[in-house]
Amino acid sequence: MEPYEHTRARRPWLVGVSGASGTPYAAAVLRALLTAGEDVDLVVSRASRLTLLDETGISFRDAHWREDLAAWLARGADGKPGVFDVDVSGVRYWAAGDLAAGPSSGSYPVQGMLIVPASTACVAGVALGLSKDLLQRAASVTLKERRPLVVAVRETPLNGQTLKHLVALDEAGAVVLPASPAFYAGATHIQDLVDFVAGRVLDAAGVPHRLYRRWEGELGGGSREG
């Protein structure tokens, strides 16, 4: 038997984008992960493509995913194109209908999974273990392997059934993180509000970032320029 040679294995964060409104949240999380030097595996649900088209005008296509992803991540939360310069070479894309993809197996190495944004349909599917597409299957795998799962639910109001599903996810070990921007960080632009939510998602995953001004226990700190 040949001796084992230790090499740095690619161990990405898996990002799932479901069909809820809030594609700027997903873009901000993806940009921050890449800025932090993290590898990313990406799953974009079929429903989220409609939301992405409606919110950005971008058609996300499997055959041209790299080009479409670059255009998406370059766009600001206000819809202005070309705001960010993003290198997407660290991203690996998996089609939502590919249930034989790497992330469908627990033996595929990932650090954890972030679902941003998470629709109520996605929440229900993961909570019930339906695995109707790769996004839901990968989330189920993340839970069974006891890896970090952050679910950034984006819906209001929440009905009783969805609340039960969120409790089930919490009990299964997921972090339920409502996409609720805060204002103490001194936001002056829609991008600041989006980045706050993205930053809280990364906080829950333990990924360092500089997306928002943190609370330091001093009133009025967020209103100062700096």
Side-chain angles (χ1 to χ4, degrees), residues 14-18 113-119 122 126 135-136 139 149-153 177 201:
L14 180 59
V15 177
V17 185
S18 79
M113 184 173 184
L114 316 174
I115 305 178
V116 187
S119 66
C122 174
V126 177
L135 195 159
Q136 291 184 15
L149 174 64
V150 182
V151 180
V153 61
L177 194 152
V201 170

Side-chain angles (χ1 to χ4, degrees), residues 42-45 48-49 52-53 57-70 72 93-94:
L42 176 65
V43 180
V44 179
S45 76
S48 69
R49 295 172 191 235
L52 183 62
L53 179 63
I58 294 173
S59 297
F60 197 91
R61 303 159 293 176
D62 286 345
H64 303 280
W65 69 266
R66 195 177 297 275
E67 173 187 345
D68 297 336
L69 177 63
W72 175 25
Y93 172 72
W94 301 94

Side-chain angles (χ1 to χ4, degrees), residues 59-152:
S59 297
F60 197 91
R61 303 159 293 176
D62 286 345
H64 303 280
W65 69 266
R66 195 177 297 275
E67 173 187 345
D68 297 336
L69 177 63
W72 175 25
L73 299 190
R75 188 175 294 264
D78 60 0
K80 184 178 179 180
V83 174
F84 300 99
D85 183 15
V86 184
D87 179 5
V88 299
S89 60
V91 179
R92 184 173 186 180
Y93 172 72
W94 301 94
D98 185 4
L99 291 177
S104 67
S105 170
S107 66
Y108 184 79
V110 299
Q111 295 191 62
M113 184 173 184
L114 316 174
I115 305 178
V116 187
S119 66
T120 54
C122 174
V123 166
V126 177
L128 297 174
L130 298 182
S131 296
K132 74 169 188 176
D133 61 8
L134 179 60
L135 195 159
Q136 291 184 15
R137 169 60 186 170
S140 295
V141 168
T142 301
L143 288 175
K144 80 179 183 68
E145 296 295 326
R146 302 298 190 267
R147 294 167 181 159
L149 174 64
V150 182
V151 180

